[in-house]
Amino acid sequence: MFRDWVVEVEDGVRRAVRERVTHGVDVIKIMATGGNMTPTFGPHESQYNRAELAAAVDEAHAHGLRIAAHAHGPQGIADALATGVDSIEHCTFFTAEGVDADPDILEQLARSGVAISMTAALLPGSEVPYLAMRKRLDAIFANCATLVRAGARVVCSSDAGVGPNKPHDVLPHDVVGLPRFGMTNAQALTATTAVAAEVCGIADTTGTLEPGKDADFVAVRGNPLDDINAIHDVAAVFVKGTQVPMAK
């Protein structure tokens, strides 16, 4: 177990990154802002300033690791973008009272190539777990659609595990939801496979079906390019080219 770190200066941030490197982590994640489960900072409040975020990015990249920034608040998102993080998780533009996305920042996000991790997965028929999020959902989705239209690099992700409505097998429900932001079915599938592999730094082994890669894939009944819900009708699962038994 990692010991808890409360780091408020750049050197402390760098030490925190280096400690995780010594434990063999694959990626660094930093809380640029608070979250709905954070007891001391609201989602709109920055937990690190730009210099501290830059120190984390610099240290992670120096060790060959990618760094993801959890960021809800507009200032945290702008700081994460400016410091060169590899992905921004959530990217909701929470304020104390609502949602406020600067059009210039939205445009910069789209142009930058930073991965926007849209964590919208939810079990069908269930409610978004946090009241504050439910109140802001329409505005958040509108900003997601703006980013998609602008050509942002969107990756499908789930935020699984934060509550009963987001179990660890919830990701397919995010895939089928991406077209509501203006994605084609093909773009939604790519955001879950090829783009996700690129963002995770494993595109040389997985993410697409090509000679020399791992041949991890799912076979479904029906054509998801015609009906994205076809991904739920799984016929077979292959891991490194070998079919694996499916639960009955």
Side-chain angles (χ1 to χ4, degrees), residues 237 243-247:
V237 177
Q243 187 170 356
V244 297
M246 294 175 55

Side-chain angles (χ1 to χ4, degrees), residues 66-118:
R66 302 189 181 213
I67 181 165
H70 161 109
H72 282 293
Q75 187 62 56
I77 292 168
D79 289 342
L81 173 64
T83 54
V85 300
D86 297 292
S87 68
I88 299 177
E89 315 301 305
H90 314 302
C91 203
T92 58
F93 291 93
F94 258 54
T95 66
E97 301 299 331
V99 171
D100 185 14
D102 183 337
D104 288 340
I105 295 295
L106 289 173
E107 184 179 343
Q108 290 175 42
L109 286 167
R111 289 201 316 262
S112 69
V114 64
I116 307 298
S117 183
M118 292 183 179

